[in-house]
Amino acid sequence: MKLYTFFRSSASYRVRIALNLKGLNYEQVPIHLRRGGGEQFSATYKAINPQALVPALEDRGRTLTQSLAIMEYLEELYPKPPLLPTDPADRALVRSMALIIACEIHPIQNLRVLVHLKKDLQQSDNDLNLWAQHWIGLGLSVLEQLVVSGPKQGIFCFGDTPSLADICLVPQLANARRFGCDLSVYPTLLRIETACNGLPAFANAAPEKQPDAE
Ligand SMILES: N[C@@H](CCC(=O)N[C@@H](CS)C(=O)NCC(=O)O)C(=O)O
């Protein structure tokens, strides 16, 4: 398997965690999102992912994009250890936790959104941070409540095994710190993050551990 990735990309970080949890070997192909205006915009990379976003995963002669689709693909091919519970309502809950991050938080403070706000709409760096803090705060507050009120309390977002929700949470918290968010108001999420980072699959996927880390 070949993963097109960037060390600081939280969507790539998710897939690295999932691959590690499944015990799969993969080759990393770094795509630098800043260098030279962004390697994601090169013709070579756009032939791999026309969306010009990382990650992309090559496997069995196919190229897959979108981190959640990639993780569901891995789950279907390599069901052990599972990244989703078995009960349909529980699965929907875990997916909803992951989607709060992947659909409601992450896309609106992604690099291309911030570049548009700054370059085209003339917003300052401080405005960009306030923007990111606002949307991250809204999403994480709801997630904290959802986890605390969930039907299966445990070490992780849902029960005692890591799931897609935890895989999305850990990179999002790292990202929130980069924007200076106050995370002390999410004690449950912070406790879960500590538990996750105690697992080699999470720790080895961290941005600073990647071959392209700066
Ligand atoms: N929904 C996509 C998001 C992918 C994404 O936004 N990737 C970011 C890095 S985390 C990216 O490549 N950004 C490049 C840019 O904004 O130009 C996924 O989950 O894979």
Side-chain angles (χ1 to χ4, degrees):
M1 283 188 209
K2 198 185 268 187
L3 181 67
Y4 295 87
T5 171
F6 181 54
F7 74 105
R8 220 170 18 226
S9 148
S10 50
S12 303
Y13 190 176
R14 292 174 199 154
V15 176
R16 294 194 300 260
I17 299 169
L19 286 162
N20 292 349
L21 281 169
K22 299 283 186 190
L24 298 168
N25 289 324
Y26 59 100
E27 177 196 343
Q28 292 202 22
V29 182
I31 303 295
H32 201 293
L33 298 185
R34 294 269 192 188
R35 191 183 298 143
E39 293 174 355
Q40 70 274 33
F41 300 115
S42 71
T44 314
Y45 187 67
K46 280 169 91 175
I48 293 160
N49 183 358
Q51 257 199 308
L53 298 171
V54 289
L57 183 77
E58 280 180 7
D59 187 38
R60 303 174 185 216
R62 300 279 297 266
T63 304
L64 309 172
T65 61
Q66 289 290 337
S67 61
L68 284 171
I70 294 170
M71 293 192 291
E72 294 263 3
Y73 166 82
L74 296 175
E75 180 76 352
E76 285 167 17
L77 269 186
Y78 308 97
K80 298 261 165 62
L83 303 180
L84 286 166
T86 47
D87 174 77
D90 291 343
R91 289 165 80 82
L93 174 61
V94 167
R95 285 189 173 110
S96 73
M97 291 173 178
L99 291 172
I100 286 173
I101 293 170
C103 295
E104 317 296 344
I105 302 180
H106 174 266
I108 38 185
Q109 30 91 59
N110 192 9
L111 177 61
R112 62 185 180 173
V113 171
L114 299 182
V115 167
H116 179 64
L117 285 171
K118 185 169 177 169
K119 291 225 169 107
D120 303 329
L121 303 179
Q122 319 281 300
Q123 301 302 305
S124 67
D125 286 336
N126 187 48
D127 287 337
L128 263 48
N129 276 338
L130 293 175
W131 165 275
Q133 287 169 11
H134 174 75
W135 296 113
I136 292 170
L138 268 186
L140 291 184
S141 306
V142 171
L143 188 60
E144 171 90 10
Q145 285 166 30
L146 208 54
V147 171
V148 168
S149 63
K152 197 165 170 201
Q153 311 283 323
I155 298 168
F156 298 104
C157 287
F158 184 86
D160 291 331
T161 50
S163 69
L164 287 184
D166 306 286
I167 293 175
C168 289
L169 173 65
V170 169
Q172 185 56 59
L173 290 177
N175 179 296
R177 285 191 185 91
R178 286 209 303 275
F179 289 112
C181 297
D182 173 15
L183 298 182
S184 65
V185 289
Y186 315 115
T188 309
L189 301 183
L190 290 179
R191 172 184 60 70
I192 293 168
E193 180 191 37
T194 303
C196 288
N197 284 332
L199 301 176
F202 280 82
N204 293 335
E208 63 276 12
K209 293 269 186 74
Q210 304 317 301
D212 57 330
E214 288 164 355

